[in-house]
Amino acid sequence: MSEARETTIRVSEIFGPTIQGEGILIGLPTVFVRTGGCDYRCSWCDTLHAVDSDYRDQWRPMSVDEIWQEVTRLSGGKPLMVSLSGGNPAIQPLGSLIAHGHDQGYRFALETQASIAKAWFADLDVLVLSPKPPSSGMATDWDALGDCLRLAADGPQIALKIVVFDDRDYAYARAAAARFPHLPVYLQPGNHTPPPPEADDATIDIDGIMDRMRWLVDKVTADGWFEARVLPQLHVLLWGNKRGV
């Protein structure tokens, strides 16, 4: 039996094609493979259904072949970008899936908080490292982030993406960018009204999010931080807290 057939990946949901809603690939047509499980529990997490172990019974152990059948069904067999997300997708054994998809012309992007480094990061096309700021309640392991960069080497395109809620988060983002001046930096205003897992149609404060977006733009321009790129969560503006889009 091949390694790909033996690999089991814990999947929360597979959906698309839709657009990538944030960061370096914003607006790009994408199929999402969202894995289950995370080593973090951010205070403002907007994907608790893929993080909290209370929802573990909704996660499906899937083989590479099973995942790929669903990806190709959704994409109509037309190669596009596959976004590996979570939770923290670095927990899962995704190397075989990436190799299988590359053989068929698909590309792969992964976003992680950079707390766990894997050798197969080097096989990705895009790696987004999203260390969590103080408002998350989580502490950043900068050595682990360095390991992610080391293992990715010159393989994927790499970027930093940092969520910003307040002045402390903004200062954190500035410090993170200074640590890794060779990486492009994407800033994203945080969603302070994330959905509970059982209600993805929960009310969202779009006006408040846009106020934070304008505040963040004013901050980077006033500081002359012209290397940073400030982007919204486009999917939040379009669909609010709805899942599967």
Side-chain angles (χ1 to χ4, degrees), residues 13-91:
E13 56 186 339
I14 303 174
F15 62 93
T18 183
I19 57 166
Q20 173 58 257
E22 56 193 56
I24 191 171
L25 298 176
I26 192 168
L28 185 71
T30 303
V31 166
F32 285 82
V33 177
R34 186 182 300 284
T35 62
C38 191
D39 52 322
Y40 273 26
R41 183 63 181 271
C42 297
S43 62
W44 33 254
C45 179
D46 60 358
T47 55
L48 275 176
H49 62 285
V51 169
D52 196 323
S53 59
D54 286 346
Y55 299 90
R56 192 183 192 92
D57 61 343
Q58 299 177 16
W59 306 339
R60 179 184 171 192
M62 299 180 71
S63 69
V64 168
D65 285 347
E66 288 174 320
I67 294 171
W68 204 250
Q69 287 174 16
E70 183 64 5
V71 169
T72 53
R73 183 188 72 81
L74 291 170
S75 67
K78 185 174 182 179
L80 43 57
M81 182 66 74
V82 178
S83 178
L84 305 171
S85 63
N88 183 3
I91 291 175

Side-chain angles (χ1 to χ4, degrees), residues 111-114 128-132 145 159-163:
E111 179 172 325
T112 175
Q113 60 263 43
V128 178
L129 302 177
S130 184
K132 304 309 178 187
L145 194 151
L160 285 176
K161 193 203 80 178
I162 300 174
V163 175

